[in-house]
Amino acid sequence: MTLTTDDRAVSELLGAILLFGLLTALLVLVQANAVPTANREVEFQHNQRLQTDFQAFDADVGSVAATGRDRTTLFELGTTYPNRFVLVNPGPVAGSLTTRGGGFVVENAVAGGETGDFWNGSARAYDGVRLAYGPSYNYYDAPRTVYEHGVVVNEFGDRTRQVDAGSFVAGRTIDLVALSGRRSVAQASTASVRTVGLSTATRTVRVTDDGDPVVVRLRTGLSAANWSRILDEQFVDAGGHVQAVRPGPDGTVEVVFEPGVDYDLRLAAVTVGGNVSRPDARYLTTTDDAPTTEEGTATAVSVELRDAYNGPVAGVDVSFTASSGTLSASTVRTDADGRATVTVTPTAAGRTTVTATVELNGAAGTQPAERVTVPVTVRGGGGGGEINPADGDVVRYVAANAVDCVEPSAGSSDRVALTEPDCRVDAVFENRGGETRTVTAARVSFYDQEAFRLAGDGSPRPRPDTVTVGGATMRVGAGFQPVSLSSVGAGDSATYAFAFGVDGDPANYNVVTGDYFVTTLRFADGTTATYFVGPGATGDGDDGAPATGTMADRTTVRSPQRDGDGVTFTLSRTGSAVGVDALSFVSAPVGIAAVDAPGNSPTVRTDDAGTVTRDAIAVGETGTFDPVAVDDATRFRVTGVVDDDGDAVDLSDWEAGGELRFRVVYTDGSEDVVTVPLPSG
């Protein structure tokens, strides 16, 4: 039998081998190219989530610094790759979260009052750390992500990119958080970081420079060029107050602030782990203005103990003594707000001094930061503490004149320049006593701008924020500051200049007729007096008399007093005797106000909605009175206040600090705007 060969199966086998080879080659190509590309995308997406975690940490640090309530942030340190059939992936990717050296120094910053014993221009150093993440990716060339000094940045070797939009500077606010603790973890899973407050930013300290610019020196991993980009919008040229960013010693970066500006300094300390204790107490300070009381009447005196971050320190004993009078306690422990409070009952008029001391550092003797003195003015029969004192041995406010200021131009009676570089208010004070009086300190507690006068663009004028008097520049609303003013001899007068400032300039605010402010002067004998000063028309500054304007004479409000259900006050006007022709409301508190004047009947009333009832004068309208001679004064009485429901309201129920404002029109055609404060009941 003859055998024949058949090679058909061989062809099929060869085809299968070739197909397998092609598939294998394709898998190799996919493994070598497509898988790395896909895994690089996985790593990139993980890195984006990790940066979001850092931004959440930044927000948590700010929250803990502000509230003191702990927060926990989750960091997705690593990632895994998705399963791919027959393809090979690396194992899970791990990342590391570590703390590195940081911190900052604040120098050349000074504060006013007792707080200035600590914030005296000395360099204040604060230790801290930076939190950094380092990935161990297989494919993606990722940056190192770092949190420091309120910003999150990505570091690409020599290059950096800011992840968030934050910084520790915003206008005049310097907001620094010292981050402490130790963290060092490397894993592929999620890590939790708990942020705990050590000293919260509950106190803001107003500081300025000591002659050299305020400097914040950062211990940082970023360069000066990096910080210049981060703070770009805060530079002086951009409308901010950062003057320069420069390299500092030992690899630090210095942020230099514009001199002559008041800054709000907010400090806090938080920790992310490790054995970190709360900061110790560093200084004692006052919390309120110096109190005023009557003989035999107890008044509270409070002091506050703070740490280096200006945060309150609880649980520390403070000792108290008084130069006269009796104290409720000799030792008081600070509460949760860091405050220790006693009451003092003076036994004689004049002044008693309460001294508070605390032992902080164990050094011999009492250091300035460990001691606070609080003067208590005691009224007995002098002029201390009175509002616009006029009778007796007092220093009386006579008149005020706006000098080198700009009134509205003709045709634009409601528009006025906001700033005028040389503008000031010259206030005249007369000593009616028999001894020379010397002003040692002053404050301006309030300024009210004429509501009818708008800025050039038609917007309401802002209130000034600073005032310069007697060589001292202070914030409006701040406590007493030492001043250098000329003494006033018995029977003599003195003129004190007040220059107001806005937007960082200490003396550029344009004062116009209708503006007024409240100033309190402290005299060398410890007594004080408060004055409502209403500058008149513009003057040329040559003789202190007004050069232009309709009010050639001065009107002042004297002796506002509670009078049953109303308030009685007296209008005094220097110059020739003229009559009051009309009086209108400019502004009033909520409710209906009525004005009684000699020869006027019936009572004049208006409500807060402007509804006129029975011979009433509505807010902004003018009503006519029978002319009354103004030889020395004209007396008025404000009564008849009702609420929105028409029920009577006793003016004595109103809190002190409210006010009624009137426009007075005289028979000679001149006019003035006066403010009647609502005194204490």
Side-chain angles (χ1 to χ4, degrees):
M1 180 176 64
T2 302
L3 297 175
T4 60
T5 61
D6 189 350
D7 57 1
R8 288 175 294 176
V10 174
S11 299
E12 294 174 358
L13 179 60
L14 290 173
I17 293 172
L18 290 172
L19 180 60
F20 179 76
L22 289 172
L23 291 175
T24 301
L26 179 61
L27 288 174
V28 170
L29 289 173
V30 171
Q31 180 70 50
N33 295 283
V35 170
T37 300
N39 286 346
R40 185 179 295 107
E41 178 64 21
V42 170
E43 293 172 351
F44 174 79
Q45 293 299 331
H46 167 261
N47 193 258
Q48 295 298 302
R49 296 193 299 273
L50 187 282
Q51 293 176 33
T52 301
D53 294 341
F54 263 84
Q55 293 181 65
F57 176 72
D58 185 8
D60 287 345
V61 169
S63 175
V64 174
T67 67
R69 291 190 290 270
D70 299 355
R71 298 294 294 265
T72 298
T73 311
L74 299 179
F75 288 88
E76 185 184 349
L77 298 186
T79 188
T80 58
Y81 305 105
N83 291 326
R84 295 186 174 90
F85 180 67
V86 305
L87 298 176
V88 179
N89 278 326
V93 173
S96 63
L97 194 65
T98 58
T99 51
R100 299 182 172 188
F104 55 88
V105 177
V106 180
E107 62 181 21
N108 305 331
V110 295
E114 296 287 353
T115 305
D117 289 338
F118 181 77
W119 288 104
N120 56 10
S122 301
R124 301 296 178 187
Y126 300 87
D127 293 331
V129 297
R130 299 175 291 142
L131 188 65
Y133 172 78
S136 299
Y137 293 137
N138 295 297
Y139 305 100
Y140 176 50
D141 185 13
R144 177 178 295 275
T145 303
V146 180
Y147 167 85
E148 61 170 274
H149 304 303
V151 299
V152 178
V153 296
N154 282 333
E155 298 179 350
F156 299 87
D158 295 335
R159 297 180 298 107
T160 61
R161 182 179 66 84
Q162 188 174 0
V163 175
D164 60 359
S167 77
F168 67 91
V169 182
R172 300 182 195 173
T173 300
I174 303 173
D175 199 341
L176 289 161
V177 180
L179 179 67
S180 61
R182 293 183 179 180
R183 297 288 301 192
S184 180
V185 57
Q187 61 190 47
S189 57
T190 298
S192 64
V193 175
R194 185 184 183 193
T195 305
V196 178
L198 301 176
S199 180
T200 56
T202 54
R203 304 293 187 270
T204 298
V205 173
R206 183 65 56 82
V207 299
T208 189
D209 60 273
D210 63 354
D212 293 323
V214 174
V215 173
V216 174
R217 184 179 303 114
L218 304 174
R219 291 193 285 270
T220 174
L222 304 178
S223 66
N226 295 147
W227 277 107
S228 292
R229 287 190 292 270
I230 292 171
L231 299 173
D232 180 63
E233 295 182 356
Q234 302 301 327
F235 277 85
V236 173
D237 292 344
H241 299 285
V242 173
Q243 190 174 61
V245 177
R246 65 195 183 197
D250 301 322
T252 59
V253 171
E254 294 182 339
V255 180
V256 183
F257 289 85
E258 180 183 11
V261 177
D262 289 338
Y263 296 97
D264 291 330
L265 181 63
R266 292 169 53 87
L267 301 177
V270 302
T271 182
V272 291
N275 186 19
V276 179
S277 59
R278 297 185 182 275
D280 296 329
R282 296 297 300 275
Y283 70 95
L284 197 63
T285 188
T286 53
T287 58
D288 304 298
D289 292 334
T292 298
T293 188
E294 306 285 345
E295 292 180 42
T297 301
T299 187
V301 175
S302 294
V303 297
E304 185 172 298
L305 188 61
R306 296 178 181 175
D307 58 31
Y309 300 89
N310 307 313
V313 179
V316 178
D317 288 338
V318 178
S319 300
F320 289 89
T321 60
S323 60
S324 62
T326 58
L327 291 172
S328 60
S330 60
T331 302
V332 178
R333 181 159 294 182
T334 56
D335 59 18
D337 294 323
R339 293 193 174 190
T341 302
V342 296
T343 59
V344 58
T345 304
T347 56
R351 184 175 71 174
T352 185
T353 300
V354 177
T355 302
T357 57
V358 63
E359 180 62 48
L360 297 180
N361 55 19
T366 302
Q367 306 302 312
E370 300 174 324
R371 183 175 185 267
V372 164
T373 58
V374 181
V376 179
T377 300
V378 185
R379 292 192 296 241
E386 293 186 30
I387 298 176
N388 286 348
D391 302 318
D393 294 342
V394 299
V395 174
R396 183 178 72 94
Y397 163 63
V398 178
N401 181 32
V403 180
D404 292 331
C405 306
V406 178
E407 287 287 314
S409 59
S412 59
S413 60
D414 64 336
R415 304 295 176 92
V416 67
L418 177 61
T419 60
E420 184 63 28
D422 298 323
C423 176
R424 72 179 190 272
V425 175
D426 283 349
V428 180
F429 296 88
E430 177 190 10
N431 182 4
R432 290 193 167 187
E435 297 181 357
T436 298
R437 301 293 296 275
T438 302
V439 179
T440 59
R443 67 186 294 254
V444 172
S445 57
F446 182 73
Y447 190 105
D448 187 55
Q449 70 278 44
E450 167 59 72
F452 292 131
R453 304 299 187 218
L454 305 177
D457 60 1
S459 63
R461 289 189 300 145
R463 290 186 175 97
D465 45 33
T466 61
V467 60
T468 299
V469 56
T473 298
M474 64 196 78
R475 303 287 299 182
V476 173
F480 282 102
Q481 296 291 325
V483 295
S484 178
L485 294 170
S486 59
S487 299
V488 190
D492 293 336
S493 298
T495 299
Y496 299 148
F498 295 78
F500 292 89
V502 67
D503 292 336
D505 191 318
N508 70 339
Y509 191 80
N510 187 38
V511 181
V512 298
T513 303
D515 291 7
Y516 83 95
F517 59 92
V518 180
T519 184
T520 302
L521 304 181
R522 178 184 292 165
F523 299 95
D525 61 1
T527 60
T528 62
T530 299
Y531 305 94
F532 289 76
V533 179
T538 302
D540 58 14
D542 292 336
D543 56 6
T548 61
T550 60
M551 196 191 73
D553 300 311
R554 299 280 178 259
T555 304
T556 57
V557 178
R558 294 174 51 192
S559 304
Q561 297 177 353
R562 300 284 183 177
D563 183 9
D565 63 348
V567 171
T568 300
F569 61 94
T570 298
L571 297 183
S572 290
R573 185 174 188 236
T574 61
S576 58
V578 295
V580 174
D581 183 59
L583 184 143
S584 63
F585 282 100
V586 174
S587 63
V590 173
I592 299 176
V595 177
D596 289 341
N600 179 56
S601 179
T603 296
V604 181
R605 300 175 182 271
T606 73
D607 64 18
D608 58 320
T611 303
V612 180
T613 61
R614 192 168 179 265
D615 296 337
I617 302 176
V619 174
E621 294 184 356
T622 300
T624 301
F625 299 104
D626 295 332
V628 178
V630 189
D631 296 327
D632 176 58
T634 299
R635 195 168 181 82
F636 293 91
R637 186 168 185 267
V638 180
T639 60
V641 178
V642 301
D643 59 21
D644 293 335
D645 298 325
D647 299 324
V649 176
D650 191 336
L651 275 180
S652 63
D653 293 335
W654 291 2
E655 295 182 358
E659 62 186 32
L660 298 170
R661 301 185 70 193
F662 301 99
R663 187 177 301 278
V664 183
V665 180
Y666 294 99
T667 53
D668 64 355
S670 63
E671 61 181 73
D672 193 7
V673 174
V674 298
T675 299
V676 180
L678 296 178
S680 301

